[in-house]
Amino acid sequence: MNRIIYIGILLLTLHSCSKTMELGSLDFEASLHTEKVKAGQEMIFDLTGRANIITFYSGELGQDYQYRDGRPLSLSNPMVSFSSDAWYGTQQGQISILVSTKFNGDYTAENVSTSFDAGEWIDITNEFTLPENTGTRQTVSNGPFNLSDIMTEEKKGIYFAYRNLTSTVGNPTQWTFSRFLVTANTLLGQQTIMDQKTADWQLAVLATPGQASTGTTPGTSVWFPRNTDRNAIVHNWIITKKIDFSDKDLGPDMGTPIKSYADPQLTEFKHTYHTPGTYIATFLASNVNAKDEINVVKQVKVIVEP
């Protein structure tokens, strides 16, 4: 074999072995150039050592290293609101506003009646100021009412219902409910959990002699029409699908590659934080070859002032 070629192969082999051996340690460090920075100004990170690949997590929403495997979106302070409209009648106590964490989702009249008799529904009617039945039409905005005390720690979900039970005393009232809205607070701000269109309202007819009604106008309102026969007892429910308050998975937070294998070594890196606060900035440094990989994580606390 040509001596020059042999020497070249030998040097290449030694270099490869040397790179493999280098994976046993990775001398990489990250620190702050200044202790604090103003929002909108560049924060300078000083970097020392050698790393083939570096990925940066700023610590901001969507770029937080601790959520690299997935970020749960927790819900808090769930609020419900709606509008109620009463027409013509004079009956009192005709409408009840109910919620349940125990209802099984079976909307048949028999099951709804059994569920109610078993005490699975909580009456929250008194938390709202419904229109007074005086024989004239009235529209009222109801809520918001905080459901936190009703939502279980397990966040199993809540069913919301309007219940219409007439009597034989006074003229029955026609009720219309609209603008139903359930919201909750999250780290992304207030989020809509359910609204009038997405509630998937279901009607349970427990007793409506002399009158047939679907009880719903999809997407805009739900309603209980008047029964012209004041001696007939009407007993209907309109119920949402389960309102889900469980944590949502936003997926993993992602880092930003700031150095690839072919790039020269970095001695500093700059990033601008636009929102005041305290962040944990993370540098994931890696050395990689065909056989092995070694990673080092370095974190620094960043204080961003207004």
Side-chain angles (χ1 to χ4, degrees), residues 295-306:
N295 299 306
V296 170
V297 175
K298 299 296 181 179
Q299 295 182 314
V300 291
K301 183 169 71 172
V302 177
I303 299 176
V304 180
E305 299 178 330

Side-chain angles (χ1 to χ4, degrees), residues 38-50:
K38 297 288 186 181
Q41 296 180 348
E42 287 184 333
M43 170 61 80
I44 302 175
F45 300 90
D46 294 323
L47 309 178
T48 60
R50 301 183 63 83

